[in-house]
Amino acid sequence: MAAARRPLMAGNWKMNGLGASIAELSRIIGGFDAALSARIDCLICPPATLIAAFAARAKGSPVAIGAQDCHPGAAVAFTGDLSAEMWKDAGASAIIVGHSERRAGHGESDALVRAKAAAAFRAGLLAIVCVGESKAEREAKRTLEVVGRQLAGSIPDGATPQRLVVAYEPVWAIGSGLTPTAADVSEVHGMVRGELVKRFGAGAGATRVLYGGSVKAENAAALLKAAEVDGALVGGASLKAKEFLSISNVYI
Ligand code: PEP
């Protein structure tokens, strides 16, 4: 089944990047040559301030642009927030929802993440739904239970498997330099795949399940070639084109 899915390399720039960072995006676009873009999809998720400029620069290239969050509503009185429809209008084709930094730092529940994913689908965009256990949960051997519960609670009714992407991101691996073993990653991805199949039947074969957490050029081959891994959500290492392209070139 995995062979039917095109891997996705997604870069999450978090709260990094200014106008001049378009030069880094250009280097990423330049590195996504015919050989690489024949094999994998690429998505860069810059901060809100750069979405429109990045989308204009990436237009017609193999690199798509995504947002890092959205409000669940379409046009409501909520000062400072941005809707999925606004992201689409600005040129985004995907939205990350439920990143652990938002779950922990902004108290986002599975129900809110589910509503945000539904908003992405409503606007016709991909929803990248993030799930992952804490260090304490892994040590207590609760990883599969926690990730399974987040998954069940964060995917909305009516989700389309083609537009759904799941990112398994162990919280303790994000930005820490620590990573699970390839076997641990495959175990969680296998469980996620099984849950997707229960939910969507054969259609689940279209949903990509990414790994995220301290992916770097040195560990990319082991993590991305693990069974059931359909690409990566990359934070820090996506900020530099050279590093992000080295990771992506694992697929060549
Ligand atoms: C992330 O924040 O989604 C992430 C995976 O970060 P990093 O690659 O820096 O661990």
Side-chain angles (χ1 to χ4, degrees), residues 12 14 99 101 169 173-176 212-215 233-237:
N12 174 14
K14 311 192 188 194
H99 190 281
E101 287 154 10
E169 300 208 301
I174 294 178
S176 64
S214 294
V215 176
L233 181 54
V234 183

Side-chain angles (χ1 to χ4, degrees), residues 100 131-143 146-147 150 168-173:
S100 65
V131 291
E133 84 286 0
S134 67
K135 189 165 188 289
E137 288 162 343
R138 173 155 287 268
E139 284 169 356
K141 306 204 180 314
R142 293 182 51 224
T143 298
V146 169
V147 172
Q150 288 176 336
Y168 166 54
E169 300 208 301
V171 178
W172 52 273

Side-chain angles (χ1 to χ4, degrees), residues 58-185:
K59 199 166 180 193
S61 84
V63 176
I65 302 301
Q68 300 173 13
D69 179 48
C70 67
H71 188 281
V76 291
F78 220 103
T79 303
D81 274 13
L82 295 158
S83 70
E85 284 77 3
M86 288 169 174
W87 289 137
K88 185 178 187 186
D89 187 51
S93 56
I95 308 177
I96 299 170
V97 296
H99 190 281
S100 65
E101 287 154 10
R102 298 202 62 88
R103 287 181 186 265
H106 290 270
E108 293 195 2
S109 64
D110 287 340
L112 181 57
V113 174
R114 183 167 74 240
K116 291 181 175 197
F121 294 134
R122 183 186 67 221
L125 304 183
L126 295 187
I128 302 178
V129 176
C130 301
V131 291
E133 84 286 0
S134 67
K135 189 165 188 289
E137 288 162 343
R138 173 155 287 268
E139 284 169 356
K141 306 204 180 314
R142 293 182 51 224
T143 298
L144 296 183
E145 169 213 325
V146 169
V147 172
R149 194 191 59 231
Q150 288 176 336
L151 194 68
S154 305
I155 298 176
D157 289 341
T160 21
Q162 295 80 358
R163 292 218 212 102
L164 174 66
V165 176
V166 175
Y168 166 54
E169 300 208 301
V171 178
W172 52 273
I174 294 178
S176 64
L178 303 172
T179 56
T181 64
D184 288 341
V185 172

